[in-house]
């Protein structure tokens, strides 16, 4: 009897376990699908996602499905909130109404939750990809036009300080430009490619950093060279030559390294490079012509207006860039920051190191280091916009923005402040040294005079 009782209990437990497991299978035996695995939307504009459930064996309990996004900027715009409830008598398809407050690429996934709060993610084939693009693309075009006008005016002021005899002498013995070309189109391209694979996770981000490393020098390097009292003639000559070289070297690196990254032909904006060359050369020549026609006025403008205007440009342009690319501060990670910062630092170090190795002077070392590290990011922006649509192009810009913020923006202002303090202290020490030497000379002269008078007496 005792054995029979034990066997009866064991059989009861097995039956209960079997029925409960069948009930659980019936509860979870369904397929969840969405109407589109890739949803394209505009920032701050609501969009819909239709979710459909197919239940094999309905139970008395409703089925509650939850959703979550990897970005906090995606939120519900209807009464459903973050969960959907399906019942046997209700509709088997429901529509989520969502909105994103920031453009970018986000993922959406669905899950069930048990009584203890444990999540069980559902296999819907793939996560739903949300592609949120900019709302106002026209605003970017207007800002680009404003940038072009300001930079053109600054370049015209820089033309006032150019000495064409020095430029021609540099072209006849192009040691400085040769160092700059090697650093820009060989070292920077290799550094950007390796840093992309080392730190970045997506191919369009790697392409963005590679494009930056393949670009020629930009006008900002000329402004900073003037601010740091470097060789402006060499800096402008290098920018001109490197922009010409971009027709060959940028195309070559993009073909060899960029195309395999994205598996498609990457268009090179030759017209934009030509426009960049013209927008750099014409204002400079206008400044040179003004200097030739009115040399006295040119000297006055160069001393009293040029440097303050350069400083104004170097302050206002990054501020406008920050405002128009505010998404950077929400979406950037340590990977973007480290990759962009490392590219800039390597440019400064190797540019200055090679210039010193070839026995260049201090003004030339400053010009070559700045010209190597500060690239013409506008070309990279154009290529990304031609290769990817928004927001893929915006995401590819993240390492480029990290480069500018960490290597040429606030970082350079800190270095410039240190440079000004050091220059001021150096000037004070030199002045005191000269005063001491003058005092010694006066005392020595007085002692000689006294000795002479004593001898006469």
């Amino acid at each position: 009897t005792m054995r029979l009782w034990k066997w009866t209990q064991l059989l009861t437990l097995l039956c209960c376990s079997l029925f409960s497991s069948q009930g659980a299978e019936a509860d979870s035996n369904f397929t969840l699908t969405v109407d589109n695995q890739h949803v394209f939307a505009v920032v701050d504009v609501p969009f819909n996602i239709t979710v459909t459930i197919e239940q094999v064996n309905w139970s008395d309990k409703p089925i509650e499905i939850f959703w979550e996004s990897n970005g906090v900027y995606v939120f519900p715009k209807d009464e459903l909130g973050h969960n959907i409830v399906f019942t046997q008598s209700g509709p088997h398809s429901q529509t989520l109404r969502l909105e994103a407050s920031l453009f970018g690429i986000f993922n959406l996934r669905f899950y069930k939750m048990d009584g203890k709060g444990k999540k069980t993610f559902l296999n819907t084939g793939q996560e739903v990809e949300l592609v949120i693009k900019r709302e106002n693309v026209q605003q970017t075009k207007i800002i680009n036009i404003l940038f072009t006008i300001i930079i053109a005016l600054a370049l015209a002021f820089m033309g006032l300080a150019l000495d064409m005899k020095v430029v021609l002498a540099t072209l006849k013995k192009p040691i400085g430009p040769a160092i700059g070309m090697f650093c820009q189109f060989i070292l920077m391209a290799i550094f950007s490619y390796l840093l992309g694979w080392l730190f970045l996770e997506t191919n369009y981000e790697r392409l963005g950093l590679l494009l930056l490393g393949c670009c020629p020098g930009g006008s900002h390097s000329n402004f900073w060279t003037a601010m740091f009292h470097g060789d402006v003639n060499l800096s402008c000559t290098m920018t001109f030559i490197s922009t010409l070289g971009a027709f060959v070297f940028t195309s070559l690196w993009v073909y060899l390294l960029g195309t395999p990254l994205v598996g498609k032909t990457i268009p090179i904006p030759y017209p934009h490079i030509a426009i960049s060359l013209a927008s750099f050369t014409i204002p400079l020549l206008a400044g040179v012509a003004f200097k030739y026609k009115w040399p006295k006025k040119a000297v006055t403008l160069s001393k009293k207006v040029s440097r303050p205007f350069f400083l104004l440009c170097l302050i206002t342009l990054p501020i406008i860039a920050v405002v128009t690319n505010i998404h950077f501060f929400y979406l950037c990670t340590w990977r973007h920051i480290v990759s962009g910062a490392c590219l800039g630092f390597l440019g400064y170090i190797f540019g200055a190191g090679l210039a010193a190795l070839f026995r260049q002077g201090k003004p030339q070392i400053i010009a070559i280091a700045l010209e190597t590290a500060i690239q013409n990011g506008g070309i990279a922006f154009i290529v990304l916009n031609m290769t990817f649509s928004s927001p893929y192009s915006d995401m590819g810009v993240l390492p480029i923005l990290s480069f500018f913020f960490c290597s040429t923006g606030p970082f350079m202002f800190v270095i410039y402040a240190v440079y000004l303090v050091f220059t001021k202290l150096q000037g004070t020490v030199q002045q005191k040294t000269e005063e001491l030497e003058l005092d010694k000379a006066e005392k020595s002269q007085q002692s000689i005079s006294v000795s002479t008078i004593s001898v006469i007496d």
Side-chain angles (χ1 to χ4, degrees):
T1 307
M2 204 62 182
R3 289 181 179 178
L4 182 61
W5 172 249
K6 288 183 179 179
W7 280 106
T8 303
Q9 281 186 324
L10 182 59
L11 184 61
T12 303
L13 289 172
L14 288 173
C15 290
C16 290
S17 175
L18 179 63
F19 284 125
S20 62
S21 64
Q22 286 179 349
E25 286 182 4
D27 243 8
S28 61
N29 189 16
F30 61 84
T31 301
L32 187 74
T33 59
V34 294
D35 59 341
N36 195 349
Q37 294 290 149
H38 302 278
V39 179
F40 297 88
V42 180
V43 66
D44 294 330
V45 176
F47 58 92
N48 297 329
I49 298 177
T50 301
V51 182
T52 302
I53 188 172
E54 296 178 359
Q55 177 71 27
V56 177
N57 293 316
W58 279 98
S59 62
D60 294 335
K61 295 181 180 180
I63 297 176
E64 190 173 16
I65 306 297
F66 298 86
W67 66 268
E68 68 177 14
S69 172
N70 64 334
V72 297
Y73 317 103
V74 180
F75 51 89
K77 290 291 289 182
D78 54 20
E79 66 278 0
L80 293 178
H82 283 268
N83 63 323
I84 320 166
V85 179
F86 293 94
T87 60
Q88 185 175 6
S89 59
H92 293 183
S93 295
Q94 297 195 41
T95 300
L96 295 173
R97 189 164 180 81
L98 310 177
E99 186 176 312
S101 59
L102 185 70
F103 60 85
I105 302 170
F106 310 103
N107 292 322
L108 198 71
R109 57 181 182 173
F110 299 88
Y111 63 91
K112 288 186 65 177
M113 188 179 296
D114 59 18
K116 297 180 180 180
K118 182 180 179 181
K119 297 179 181 180
T120 303
F121 289 96
L122 305 175
N123 182 17
T124 59
Q126 292 178 351
E127 294 181 346
V128 180
E129 185 182 54
L130 305 178
V131 182
I132 313 299
K133 63 181 181 179
R134 290 177 181 266
E135 180 182 12
N136 189 1
V137 182
Q138 188 65 28
Q139 179 184 0
T140 305
K141 296 180 180 179
I142 296 174
I143 292 173
N144 288 337
I145 294 173
L146 179 63
F147 270 33
T148 303
I149 295 173
I150 294 175
I151 291 175
L153 187 57
L155 287 171
F157 281 120
M158 185 162 291
L160 300 177
L162 281 184
D163 189 339
M164 294 306 297
K165 293 181 180 179
V166 177
V167 172
L168 292 175
T170 303
L171 291 175
K172 290 179 180 179
K173 193 177 181 181
I175 298 176
I179 298 172
M181 288 283 286
F182 176 78
C183 292
Q184 281 184 318
F185 289 122
I186 304 298
L187 294 183
M188 291 294 281
I190 294 174
F191 291 154
S192 62
Y193 184 75
L194 295 178
L195 289 170
W197 278 108
L198 186 61
F199 293 109
L200 302 177
E201 296 180 316
T202 62
N203 285 338
Y204 42 83
E205 291 173 343
R206 292 175 184 138
L207 178 64
L209 193 64
L210 174 65
L211 288 170
L212 180 65
C214 298
C215 285
S219 56
H220 277 67
S221 62
N222 310 133
F223 303 153
W224 279 118
T225 299
M227 299 301 294
F228 282 102
H229 298 89
D231 191 337
V232 176
N233 295 292
L234 175 60
S235 178
C236 293
T237 304
M238 290 171 61
T239 301
F240 179 80
I241 294 175
S242 66
T243 306
L244 284 177
F247 286 95
V248 176
F249 290 103
T250 302
S251 305
L252 179 63
W253 283 117
V254 168
Y255 175 76
L256 293 176
L257 302 179
T259 301
L261 275 178
V262 295
K264 60 186 290 189
T265 302
I266 300 173
I268 303 298
Y270 293 112
H272 180 79
I273 297 176
I275 291 172
S276 177
L277 183 63
S279 61
F280 171 78
T281 307
I282 294 174
L284 275 178
L285 293 179
V288 172
F290 185 92
K291 179 181 178 181
Y292 178 79
K293 184 71 175 178
W294 298 284
K296 293 183 179 179
K297 293 182 179 179
V299 172
T300 303
L301 287 174
S302 181
K303 289 183 178 180
K304 295 184 178 181
V305 181
S306 294
R307 289 186 187 278
F309 190 77
F310 295 158
L311 185 61
L312 180 64
C313 291
L314 293 170
I315 293 174
T316 56
L317 294 181
I319 291 175
I320 297 174
V322 168
V323 173
T324 55
N325 294 282
I326 197 69
H327 70 287
F328 167 79
F329 298 99
Y330 296 95
L331 300 178
C332 75
T333 64
W334 69 269
R335 295 179 179 274
H336 302 123
I337 294 173
V338 171
S339 60
C342 285
L343 182 62
F345 295 157
L346 289 171
Y348 291 123
I349 293 170
F350 278 85
L354 284 177
L357 184 64
F358 282 89
R359 300 179 181 275
Q360 299 294 294
K362 181 182 176 181
Q364 288 73 38
I365 292 175
I366 292 173
I368 293 172
L370 292 171
E371 189 69 20
T372 299
I374 303 178
Q375 309 289 80
N376 187 351
I379 296 176
F381 278 96
I382 295 295
V383 175
L384 282 172
N385 287 323
M386 293 174 65
T387 307
F388 302 112
S389 59
S390 179
Y392 295 102
S393 58
D394 299 309
M395 302 301 289
V397 163
L398 289 177
I400 301 177
L401 294 175
S402 297
F403 167 82
F404 283 112
F405 287 136
C406 300
S407 300
T408 64
F411 169 78
M412 287 300 294
F413 283 102
V414 173
I415 298 298
Y416 184 64
V418 174
Y419 171 77
L420 289 179
V421 172
F422 177 77
T423 304
K424 185 69 174 178
L425 291 175
Q426 190 179 35
T428 303
V429 171
Q430 186 176 358
Q431 184 179 359
K432 289 183 178 180
T433 303
E434 291 176 355
E435 290 176 356
L436 290 173
E437 291 178 354
L438 184 61
D439 289 340
K440 288 181 181 180
E442 289 178 354
K443 290 179 180 179
S444 176
Q445 186 66 32
Q446 289 176 0
S447 62
I448 292 172
S449 299
V450 171
S451 300
T452 305
I453 293 171
S454 301
V455 170
I456 294 173
D457 291 341

